Amino acid sequence: MKEKLQDLYNKNGTRKVLASLISILIGLVVGAIVVIAVGLSKDTITTQGMWDGVKLIFAGILSTGRNAAGQLTWGYNAQSLGNMLFRATPLIMTGLSVAVAYKTGLFNIGAPGQYLMGTMASLMIALSIPTSSVPAWLVWLLAFLGGCLAGALWGAIPGALKALLGINEVLACIMTNWLAANIVTWAFDVSNFKNMVENTKSGYVYKTSFNGVQTAKMGMDKLFPGSQVNGGILIAILVAILVYILINKTTLGYELKACGANRHAARYAGINDRRDIILSMAIAGALAGGGAALYWLAGNTEFYWSTYQSLPSAGFNGIPVALLAVNNPIGVIFTGVFMAMLDIVGVQLTGYTAYNEYITDVIISVIVYLSAFSLVIQMMLPKWKKKGGPNANAEPAAKTAPKPETEKGDKEA
């Protein structure tokens, strides 16, 4: 049993997971230190307030609020857990987007632009097709596929520039991000999808529930009553499993990884590296666009159409999600949920203490930096060596009796 644990610990994959867990733990500890430091610097925050902040950082998702005496209560919080899964849905998809591109040796920093294009396509399709003549579920499916297609086309642009012209994909992605922001702003500015019913929300696009198009709950509302969660999280998990199969069990996945390992060697082996680079970025874009579609087609969120001043954080947050998961599609599910949990913890800090949600941004920043140095953390992990070497448990070899010297006469004979 001990030898099996030693072998498991010494595996490269195990050490990568441990490095990610260490990064998360250090990030949470740093967040707790920040809470204490801020509390000590302000007279308005008591010792109990600091302790409440520390507890929320480590277990805020289980907080049920404050009781009549003003004390934090703990237990199963269906609303917070459901909202966490709802917010995890786009993070899982954008995390998969970054992970797929990385497998091909590409850094997809263009997920925010692909996310925006998926947002525009899915919302316009969902709100423009009348559900009186087309079933709502079919409109939803068309909107989701339209969001994926828009993201794929937008992701293929930096892929083509990289494959055909040798332009660095990071630079191309940055340009396409801001192009997308301006295109989406212009498209909604000239459209009729702006919410003009409420004067205070004239800059927002109608919810898809306005047209009767929204993601089915699939029973999630019964598990997490009062929350925003729907079947989108189940779709995201299914997509993650399909991406894992694509990358690890198919010929295309092998070719993508071969291009990522060594593009020139892959070409020498007969792999069309240019095609695979474009295809990889298109798949990455489709995943980011699909994440946007799942989020905005929920029917309970409104999109602010003046996006040219900023880019969606869900696109950028896919990077730490992929890094923490070591670009493993299955791992992305768990890291996406974890990042969404930190988002909920920020809401808890703002609502129940004198702190605000920006402390969770510090935690995320520390985790991102440490994830980038995961190889260094892996090297720092002690090697679990077997005592006595590989043959320590082997029985000692029997001593052989010395062979008697042969008589000189016998040799001559």
Side-chain angles (χ1 to χ4, degrees), residues 352-366:
Y352 301 145
T353 69
Y355 299 96
N356 56 47
E357 71 274 11
Y358 297 113
I359 291 177
T360 57
D361 292 338
V362 175
I363 298 174
I364 294 173
S365 300
V366 172

Side-chain angles (χ1 to χ4, degrees), residues 58-265:
F58 285 94
I61 195 66
L62 297 177
S63 175
T64 55
R66 292 188 180 275
N67 56 22
Q71 298 176 336
L72 283 177
T73 55
W74 306 89
Y76 177 74
N77 192 335
Q79 184 176 7
S80 293
L81 289 172
N83 290 338
M84 176 188 70
L85 294 177
F86 174 69
R87 299 187 186 199
T89 301
L91 293 179
I92 292 172
M93 298 294 286
T94 54
L96 291 172
S97 174
V98 176
V100 166
Y102 187 84
K103 292 291 185 181
T104 319
L106 303 170
F107 185 40
N108 181 27
I109 201 174
Q114 298 150 15
Y115 188 91
L116 281 175
M117 298 303 285
T119 298
M120 180 182 69
S122 59
L123 284 177
M124 285 190 170
I125 293 173
L127 295 173
S128 61
I129 301 177
T131 52
S132 57
S133 55
V134 181
W137 67 266
L138 182 56
V139 176
W140 185 96
L141 181 61
L142 292 174
F144 175 70
L145 294 178
C148 293
L149 180 59
L153 294 175
W154 204 249
I157 295 174
L161 293 174
K162 170 75 172 182
L164 303 178
L165 302 178
I167 297 175
N168 186 279
E169 73 275 7
V170 175
L171 297 176
C173 284
I174 292 174
M175 291 187 294
T176 55
N177 280 343
W178 290 108
L179 281 172
N182 284 274
I183 290 173
V184 170
T185 298
W186 170 82
F188 280 118
D189 191 26
V190 300
S191 71
N192 296 320
F193 301 127
K194 295 187 292 293
N195 186 350
M196 303 299 293
V197 177
E198 303 174 59
N199 293 330
T200 58
K201 294 186 177 181
S202 59
Y204 288 80
V205 178
Y206 282 115
K207 299 177 183 178
T208 56
S209 56
F210 171 80
N211 201 34
V213 179
Q214 51 197 4
T215 308
K217 295 294 185 179
M218 298 184 185
M220 301 299 288
D221 55 332
K222 296 180 180 179
L223 290 175
F224 307 99
S227 68
Q228 295 178 305
V229 72
N230 52 42
I233 182 63
L234 302 178
I235 297 173
I237 293 173
L238 177 62
V239 170
I241 295 172
L242 293 176
V243 170
Y244 176 83
I245 295 173
L246 170 68
I247 294 297
N248 297 287
K249 304 296 181 181
T250 65
T251 303
L252 175 60
Y254 173 81
E255 291 181 355
L256 295 178
K257 290 189 291 184
C259 285
N262 191 318
R263 177 182 177 182
H264 303 291

